[in-house]
Amino acid sequence: MTFYYKNEEIGTTLEEAKKYILSSRALTRELAEAYLFDSIDDRYLREWVVDMIVDEGGLTDEVIVDYALSYLEDMWDPEEGRMGMGYYFSYEEVMEE
């Protein structure tokens, strides 16, 4: 598994990518915006906010970045190839044959 920002590798694990993104306020904001606008629809918004507050303790940068990167992993489809979110964030896995 590999996470990318502007086609440059930012981590081969969720934790590496999370650390890289959280090291920059601009990257954190960009990923949060891509995730919230591209992935959360009105129907799901209420459930998502309740989960964030009840299960995760609030809408912190760490929680939003974790959810966004996990979303990229979960939505990846081996037939489609690389999964993208926003303009610059993406994820892909190398499948064993």
Side-chain angles (χ1 to χ4, degrees):
M1 74 175 64
T2 306
F3 292 91
Y4 298 91
Y5 176 73
K6 293 186 177 180
N7 290 321
E8 304 241 347
E9 184 180 308
I10 60 171
T12 56
T13 66
L14 189 133
E15 289 304 315
E16 287 175 355
K18 186 175 168 183
K19 184 177 178 180
Y20 181 90
I21 291 166
L22 288 169
S23 71
S24 165
R25 184 70 188 130
L27 276 178
T28 300
R29 189 172 41 250
E30 188 176 340
L31 179 62
E33 182 179 304
Y35 175 59
L36 294 172
F37 284 109
D38 291 355
S39 310
I40 307 298
D41 62 21
D42 293 342
R43 205 176 63 227
Y44 177 61
L45 182 60
R46 183 181 210 166
E47 179 183 331
W48 183 82
V49 170
V50 169
D51 284 347
M52 288 285 175
I53 293 169
V54 173
D55 295 339
E56 302 297 336
L59 294 170
T60 65
D61 288 347
E62 291 81 7
V63 169
I64 292 173
V65 168
D66 187 56
Y67 268 65
L69 294 175
S70 295
Y71 174 82
L72 271 173
E73 278 185 314
D74 293 345
M75 296 307 293
W76 184 77
D77 181 349
E79 292 179 14
E80 293 291 322
R82 188 179 282 194
M83 171 64 186
M85 183 167 44
Y87 292 113
Y88 300 121
F89 293 95
S90 58
Y91 170 81
E92 70 181 346
E93 284 185 33
V94 175
M95 299 300 292
E96 301 283 330
E97 295 200 33

